[in-house]
Amino acid sequence: VQLQASGGGLVQAGGSLRLTCAASGRTFSSYSVGWFRQAPGKEREFVASISWGNRYIKYEDSVKGQFTISRDNAQNTVYLQMNSLKPEDTAVYYCAADERYNPGTEFYYWGQGTQVTVSS
């Protein structure tokens, strides 16, 4: 499966962005999908994930209540709605996919990143 992340940009603190992860190549509904981010000088970190079947959704503690992950299998797309953005949310955001129901943070397929910059 090929993944394409988009929707990043420059936003002021308190603003919102919706990231999109579009998939092609295989039936996306049978994949679990995750979002990760990597800030300058830091290691990549898990943000959120949604299982195939949408029954298992997980968030990193710092984004709970702020970010929402969802999917539209008909459109082969997974979204990450990010609200109340803070400067510390600035990072390159990546989407990833895996055939396992709960791959944790070990996803097999990766897309390119999309830059999110939050100004103070």
Side-chain angles (χ1 to χ4, degrees):
V1 64
Q2 292 81 44
L3 305 173
Q4 178 83 26
S6 62
L10 174 63
V11 63
Q12 289 187 335
S16 299
L17 284 173
R18 188 177 77 162
L19 304 185
T20 299
C21 179
S24 62
R26 297 188 65 178
T27 304
F28 202 35
S29 61
S30 61
Y31 288 81
S32 297
V33 178
W35 284 97
F36 294 76
R37 65 186 179 185
Q38 186 167 20
K42 296 187 177 181
E43 294 186 352
R44 186 173 62 197
E45 65 173 356
F46 170 81
V47 175
S49 65
I50 184 168
S51 68
W52 49 260
N54 299 351
R55 292 186 177 182
Y56 184 74
I57 294 176
K58 181 180 178 181
Y59 295 97
E60 196 271 329
D61 286 344
S62 67
V63 305
K64 286 180 179 178
Q66 181 189 2
F67 291 2
T68 303
I69 189 170
S70 61
R71 68 193 302 163
D72 183 343
N73 288 330
Q75 298 295 323
N76 267 11
T77 301
V78 169
Y79 303 102
L80 184 69
Q81 178 66 43
M82 306 187 297
N83 298 327
S84 302
L85 285 163
K86 310 166 189 174
E88 51 264 42
D89 294 317
T90 295
V92 178
Y93 284 71
Y94 299 88
C95 64
D98 197 280
E99 293 174 300
R100 293 170 291 175
Y101 180 74
N102 180 17
T105 60
E106 300 297 323
F107 284 74
Y108 186 77
Y109 301 95
W110 290 84
Q112 93 298 347
T114 186
Q115 176 71 47
V116 172
T117 303
V118 184
S119 63
S120 58

